[in-house]
Each structure stands twice: as structure tokens, then as C-alpha cells.
Amino acid sequence: KYYDIEEGKGPVATQGSTALVHFDCRYRSITAISTRESKLLAGNRSIAQPYEFKVGSTPGKERKREFVDNPNGLFSAQASPKPPPAMYYITEGMKVGGKRTVIVPPEAGYGQRGMNEIPPGATFELNIELLQVTPPQEK
């Protein structure tokens, strides 16, 4: 189930395109996982780093990303918040600038493992904001 909170005006996210999003997972009004609130290690600054992935791809495939623009290696792909599997296909059809709220059941979310404040087997709310879409590269 999802609700479009705001329809975007930009390009549409299609399968195979690369989407850049901000997302928040909320459980009982607690933001458990968010790209807007990533904490820096050994520091109390918080950075908001959008998450990039291929629409319609298998979750976890895009985690091997090189962050070349940082001299000190503070941002590692492992440190970025892990989105629920639902996000990979629910963004399809969204337009850039759009915001969507998704009710994520455990089988499309974090299942029986849970994640941060989201308990095992929980249904939670996922808020997605589509920032940018790169069309699939023609071969």
C-alpha cells in the first residue's frame, strides 16, 4: 500500500534507472532509519546523504560504491542506512520531486530480523522522496 503525498514534476523512475532518494523508516512515530540523519563516527555532526540504487534491482547489490570525493574515508557504504527491500520496486513510477509514503509489511521490510528500532515482524511506514533519476545506460 502506498500514498503519493506529493507528485513530482520531473522524470519518471523506471525499472533499471538509477534513483537518488532520501528515505525514512518510521515505526510508531519513531524515525528508526533515515538518510537524513546519518551520524558521523567519532563526531556529533549529522550528515544527510541521499541513497542511490537501481530501480527494480535486487536489494543489496549497490552497496559496493566507492566514495572518492572524501579524503578521510568517513563515509563508507556500510555506514549508510539499509533500506527495506520494498523500496527497490515501490519507487518505480515516481517522478523526481515526488514524495511517497508506503506501508511496509514485514515480508517486504526487515522480516523476522528487525532493524534498529523496528522490531522483528513489524509493519512500518516508509517515506521516500525522489531527488534524481538517471535513465538506464544504453549498451
Side-chain angles (χ1 to χ4, degrees):
K1 260 195 177 167
Y2 68 82
Y3 309 92
D4 279 321
I5 305 303
E6 217 171 281
E7 177 139 11
K9 306 267 182 276
V12 178
T14 54
Q15 188 152 359
S17 59
T18 301
L20 197 60
V21 299
H22 264 311
F23 72 90
D24 311 277
C25 296
R26 292 173 59 80
Y27 175 72
R28 294 194 176 166
S29 73
I30 301 163
T31 299
I33 298 156
S34 172
T35 51
R36 297 171 201 281
E37 300 169 13
S38 304
K39 301 289 183 287
L40 275 183
L41 300 171
N44 50 11
R45 292 185 315 167
S46 82
I47 48 150
Q49 194 183 1
Y51 191 84
E52 189 178 65
F53 63 98
K54 268 209 176 8
V55 178
S57 72
T58 317
K61 285 268 191 277
E62 72 299 313
R63 301 198 75 70
K64 297 167 207 61
R65 277 222 318 245
E66 307 81 47
F67 291 99
V68 274
D69 50 14
N70 56 317
N72 50 10
L74 274 174
F75 308 115
S76 73
Q78 279 69 38
S80 68
K82 186 177 184 308
M87 193 173 85
Y88 291 83
Y89 54 83
I90 207 78
T91 39
E92 199 173 328
M94 279 181 79
K95 290 188 185 127
V96 171
K99 293 179 180 170
R100 185 173 277 186
T101 293
V102 188
I103 308 302
V104 183
E107 56 276 10
Y110 297 109
Q112 297 312 312
R113 273 202 237 121
M115 175 74 68
N116 298 5
E117 288 89 356
I118 297 172
T123 294
F124 60 92
E125 195 178 286
L126 168 65
N127 297 315
I128 307 171
E129 181 181 354
L130 187 56
L131 307 171
Q132 190 187 322
V133 168
T134 312
Q137 253 63 71
E138 298 295 324
K139 291 204 164 50

